[in-house]
Amino acid sequence: MSVREEFDEWAATGKDRGMEDRHWHTAKHVLARMPVEAGDDVLDLGTGSGYALRALRERGIGRGYGLDGAPEMARNAHGYTDDDAVGYLVGDFDSLPFADDSLDHVFSMEAFYYAADPVHTLEEVRRVLRPGGTFYCAVNYFAESETTHAWQESISVDMTLWSREEYREAFREAGLYVAEQDAIPDRETEIPDAEAFPTENYETREAMVDRYRTWGTLLTVGVAP
């Protein structure tokens, strides 16, 4: 199954809203760090339900573009958003439909690792960013967060599993200065007492704590020179 088919199915069954609820626990902290200013042009790469752009519009960004590989995701996001300054389009991470030096910021939450060629995707992000523009790349699936590795078994598309250092190296190779890298813990997901384990997803409470409180979301911030 392709990325498009996988996530069209998710959108059709309402999983896009479920992802929004779960991702918001850490995404809101990532968005709060973004140095957006009034009038900035922002791309949300792998926009899902479009929640990030709606939040950034509340901070005064000028134009928001939400790109997703799944037409149903983009269609749903448009339906959830009543704002002429935000648009959603279907596109490929490896060929961003934007001119060189045309965007102030790029954001991506839980989507980057679905890129067919993640190194080239970073090169594309570098290409479309204006000098001084930023890429805020947030992922929950990465090498140090070992309890997330099993996700690949439950999804039919290939996912890129990089370590923190591999993210930094790839950013640098694409021409982005790595300004920040941080693990943002999820403090809101409820973790039951030890007596409740094993659960459907975790053998021990320690494993669940490791997933949410220790590693949470890996944020890597790149800046275009």
Side-chain angles (χ1 to χ4, degrees):
M1 184 180 291
S2 68
V3 172
R4 175 172 297 196
E5 292 170 332
E6 179 84 32
F7 289 98
D8 271 346
E9 182 178 314
W10 285 32
T13 57
K15 287 186 178 180
D16 55 343
R17 283 299 206 183
M19 287 191 296
E20 174 180 341
D21 291 341
R22 293 192 301 276
H23 295 168
W24 187 246
H25 295 177
T26 53
K28 61 186 176 184
H29 299 293
V30 176
L31 292 169
R33 297 185 185 190
M34 290 183 68
V36 296
E37 297 182 353
D40 281 353
D41 298 318
V42 180
L43 168 63
D44 181 9
L45 194 60
T47 194
S49 68
Y51 67 89
L53 292 177
R54 292 192 291 274
L56 290 173
R57 275 289 287 161
E58 293 180 1
R59 293 175 58 189
I61 66 167
R63 288 287 305 176
Y65 304 94
L67 184 144
D68 207 283
E72 291 299 325
M73 282 287 188
R75 185 175 295 111
N76 281 5
H78 178 75
Y80 302 147
T81 307
D82 183 16
D83 188 340
D84 292 339
V86 176
Y88 300 98
L89 62 155
V90 179
D92 191 333
F93 285 17
D94 294 331
S95 182
L96 299 180
F98 299 92
D100 295 359
D101 304 330
S102 60
L103 299 170
D104 296 293
H105 306 282
V106 178
F107 168 81
S108 184
M109 178 71 188
E110 280 297 88
F112 178 80
Y113 46 69
Y114 293 119
D117 186 345
V119 172
H120 182 61
T121 296
L122 287 171
E123 293 171 345
E124 279 288 276
V125 169
R126 164 67 185 88
R127 178 184 65 80
V128 302
L129 280 173
R130 295 174 176 134
T134 68
F135 178 33
Y136 276 66
C137 179
V139 297
N140 291 350
Y141 178 76
F142 56 102
E144 287 83 358
S145 184
E146 295 182 0
T147 56
T148 67
H149 296 184
W151 292 358
Q152 180 64 86
E153 300 171 8
S154 63
I155 191 166
S156 60
V157 297
D158 290 334
M159 302 161 65
T160 295
L161 184 64
W162 281 350
S163 68
R164 295 164 61 104
E165 178 57 31
E166 286 174 311
Y167 268 96
R168 294 194 298 272
E169 290 179 359
F171 271 53
R172 289 191 289 262
E173 288 175 6
L176 293 166
Y177 169 69
V178 179
E180 178 184 0
Q181 189 177 63
D182 192 15
I184 301 175
D186 176 347
R187 302 290 188 193
E188 297 183 27
T189 294
E190 182 178 353
I191 299 179
D193 294 335
E195 293 75 15
F197 292 84
T199 66
E200 181 179 349
N201 297 313
Y202 297 94
E203 286 296 317
T204 65
R205 189 176 191 276
E206 289 75 14
M208 193 171 181
V209 168
D210 185 70
R211 157 69 183 90
Y212 290 105
R213 305 294 195 258
T214 303
W215 293 114
T217 295
L218 176 65
L219 170 65
T220 307
V221 179
V223 179

